[in-house]
Each structure stands twice: as structure tokens, then as C-alpha cells.
Amino acid sequence: MRHLRPSSSFKTPLETGCMTIHMTIHPTPDFIKAGAIAARVLSEVVKEVRPGVKVIRICQLAEHKIAEYGGKPAFPCNVSIDDEAAHYTSPHGDKKVFPDKGLVKVDLGAHVNGHLSDTAVTVDLDGSYEKFVIAAKIALEKAIEVIEPGVKLGEIGAVIEREIKKHGLRPVHQLSGHQLKPWTLHAGKTVPNVGMRRSERMNLGETFAIEPFSTDGNGTVKGSKDAYIFSNVMSSKKKLDRLSAQIRNIARRRFRTLPWAGRWLNDKKIDVTAALHSLLRAGAIRAYPVLLEGKGGMVAQFEHTVFVAEEGAIVTTLRNRQ
Ligand code: MN
Ligand code: MN
């Protein structure tokens, strides 16, 4: 949006010589809406996270509410427990339930016409792991405080690392925040969770997801053999069997460049498991394996989506409470 000040008082062309033009950079309404939807859904679904509740109930509730409030899921709702750092979402018919104690990370996002949000909180099921939660939560708050146009990405990482170490824990250095662009969840720049000598900066008008992870492990992650989240490789033109080609086309049409859950396609009365395997082998889709902490450490995560404005970060995923 462009503001001209003053607007109507010019009589002659000469006077335009002293006109001041202010370019004010605003987040788009769709981007704001995507953030508000995710914030509301997250605060509502975390209330349902309790020992004995099925994980799939949380995934489906989140995805249902995102649609109800006028968005679409930006990616499958991730519900990762304990040493699962990220990328667990329920497969079709999942029987997994929340344990009596542990750390549950609920990570979800909405999109409105491709404008994205990405936000996460951690629930400590019985109060045994409070320091993990506090460390990641405060690290996120402190990181957001230092955001302004021109801030170095490495400095944000340093703030996160310092705060998490204060609590006697480590950041998960192999996971990082990321720039967001319409239809692209991980776009361009990454935001490290540890201090780095990097010259790359956040610029005015850019959007990022900031996501510190705290752990008592070694801060690395490894992919497990299980993957329930996929995305389309749009450039792939390989010849496929009929069912696989059909599944590929449906996924491209429905999800475009955004990640999706195998479960979302299994709603149909056909078993897509074999088709997903052949799509993976053909390079037509890629898989996001469940990421486990390298030493089996417990992991907590908090995440917000921010817009870099002149006055600092505008957090689009702020919740009313908590
Ligand atoms: Mn996330
Ligand atoms: Mn993210």
C-alpha cells in the first residue's frame, strides 16, 4: 500500500519537488488471516491433548477446524511425541494414543490462497518436563524481540542458543526456522537455532517461521524409517502405472507445492499405500520421514510466524491466551 502525504494540497507541478512519499510495507490480508486461523485452531486443539486420547483425533480436529475457520491446512498437523522432534502425523487408521507422561509437540499451519502460517506449542503431559517447555518458549519470545529489518539470521540463532543453554539444555541445531513465501513453506533463507557467523539478514517485508527446539540429547536429528508426510515433485514427468498416475494428478491438483498426508488420500475407498511407494520410487513425490532426536533425547518446540515490519516483528500466529 502506498501513502502519499500530503495528498490533495498540490497546486503546481513544482511543488511536487518537496512531496514526501512514504512506502509502508504491510502484510497481506490473506497472510494475516492464515496466521489468525492457525493461532485459534492451535489454542483450541491443545486443550484436547491428554493421556489416552488418540493422536489421530488431534490431527483431524486441527485440520477440520482450519477448514471451518476459512483456511486450508498448509501441511498435515504434526503431533510429535518425546524424542520425535518433528514430522509425525497420523497414518490412516492410526491407533496411537498419548502416553501418561511426555512432551507432545502440536505443529500446524493454515493457508489462505497460498499465504501461509506455521505455528507450534508443546504440551507437557504430566508436568515432568517443564524446563524443556520453558526453554523453547522463552527462546522464541527472545528471538522475536530482536527481529527488525536488517537483523542477521545468525544473531537470532545466537539468542535462541543462549536462552536454551541457560536452562541446561541444547538447541536442536539440525532443525531451523525458515522463510515463507506464498505456496512455499521452506523458501530461501533459514533461521538457525544456534549462533552462526552468517551475513544473511532478514529484510523488510519478508516472512519467517521461527522455531526453537530444546533437548537433553545431542541436538542432531535422524530420519526414521516411517514417513507419513509427502510433497509433490512438480517437475517429474516419469511414466507411471494408471493408479499411481491418477494419485499423482489428484495430489498435484489438491495440494500443489504444499506437503500432504498419506491419510488425506486414503479417505477414498482405495488403498494408496502401494501407489505412494511407486510414486516415491519414480521420484514423483518426496517423503518427509519422522525426525528423531539423535541420542533419543526429549524435545520441546515452540513456533510462530512473523512479518518483518519497520517497527519489528508482527507475529501473525499470536494466541489470546497461553
Ligand atoms: Mn511448524
Ligand atoms: Mn516451520
Side-chain angles (χ1 to χ4, degrees):
M1 207 160 116
R2 173 179 273 231
H3 293 280
L4 302 175
R5 285 197 277 175
S7 53
S8 56
S9 57
F10 299 110
K11 298 280 192 300
T12 70
L14 265 182
E15 282 182 64
T16 59
C18 46
M19 183 171 75
T20 55
I21 297 176
H22 268 263
M23 284 288 289
T24 311
I25 312 254
H26 295 290
T28 64
D30 283 352
F31 180 68
I32 292 291
K33 186 175 173 190
I37 292 168
R40 180 174 174 196
V41 171
L42 187 57
S43 65
E44 289 177 7
V45 301
V46 292
K47 290 182 198 149
E48 307 296 320
V49 174
R50 281 185 300 273
V53 169
K54 277 189 179 168
V55 171
I56 196 167
R57 176 174 150 69
I58 300 302
C59 298
Q60 289 178 332
L61 187 64
E63 291 156 11
H64 178 86
K65 280 177 180 280
I66 288 169
E68 186 186 336
Y69 301 151
K72 288 181 179 170
F75 51 88
C77 176
N78 287 216
V79 181
S80 309
I81 303 176
D82 294 346
D83 65 328
E84 294 167 350
H87 294 174
Y88 185 92
T89 196
S90 283
H92 180 66
D94 194 11
K95 299 273 186 292
K96 188 173 183 178
V97 297
F98 294 115
D100 290 338
K101 60 184 287 186
L103 291 173
V104 178
K105 296 157 288 289
V106 181
D107 185 340
L108 57 83
H111 84 82
V112 176
N113 300 315
H115 293 262
L116 301 164
S117 58
D118 185 359
T119 184
V121 298
T122 296
V123 178
D124 178 6
L125 287 170
D126 81 335
S128 305
Y129 298 99
E130 202 183 4
K131 75 171 177 181
F132 291 76
V133 172
I134 291 171
K137 189 175 187 178
I138 298 183
L140 176 58
E141 286 167 10
K142 298 259 160 132
I144 288 170
E145 278 172 22
V146 299
I147 291 175
E148 59 179 3
V151 68
K152 283 187 180 168
L153 297 169
E155 190 193 329
I156 307 222
V159 168
I160 290 171
E161 181 177 11
R162 199 179 315 131
E163 194 56 43
I164 290 176
K165 285 185 169 169
K166 263 193 218 167
H167 292 82
L169 297 168
R170 287 198 181 90
V172 177
H173 64 266
Q174 287 189 340
L175 294 175
S176 40
H178 45 98
Q179 197 174 352
L180 298 160
K181 288 183 183 168
W183 294 107
T184 311
L185 199 55
H186 290 237
K189 302 173 189 175
T190 59
V191 187
N193 283 323
V194 286
M196 280 187 179
R197 287 177 173 279
R198 259 197 215 170
S199 53
E200 249 187 332
R201 295 167 189 274
M202 283 188 177
N203 296 321
L204 180 63
E206 289 178 341
T207 53
F208 292 89
I210 314 293
E211 48 183 315
F213 293 78
S214 60
T215 185
D216 59 354
N218 66 7
T220 64
V221 286
K222 55 186 184 205
S224 85
K225 60 175 185 12
D226 304 313
Y228 309 110
I229 301 175
F230 306 92
S231 69
N232 302 316
V233 177
M234 298 301 244
S235 57
S236 165
K237 302 218 160 50
K238 268 252 179 95
K239 201 144 175 45
L240 299 161
D241 63 84
R242 219 170 62 94
L243 179 61
S244 302
Q246 213 178 342
I247 300 287
R248 179 200 60 192
N249 295 343
I250 290 169
R252 281 185 178 174
R253 217 173 28 244
R254 277 179 61 186
F255 317 123
R256 299 174 61 166
T257 49
L258 297 172
W260 44 272
R263 170 171 47 86
W264 291 352
L265 294 171
N266 254 311
D267 290 345
K268 315 273 172 211
K269 290 213 165 56
I270 39 167
D271 183 9
V272 297
T273 316
L276 291 183
H277 280 292
S278 72
L279 288 172
L280 276 171
R281 271 195 310 275
I285 61 174
R286 59 161 298 200
Y288 299 83
V290 176
L291 296 174
L292 304 172
E293 208 284 331
K295 283 273 183 273
M298 297 292 286
V299 180
Q301 171 211 17
F302 279 79
E303 181 174 19
H304 270 311
T305 297
V306 302
F307 177 90
V308 184
E310 237 152 321
E311 65 275 20
I314 296 173
V315 182
T316 65
T317 47
L318 265 194
R319 296 176 299 282
N320 292 334
R321 262 185 289 273
Q322 197 213 21

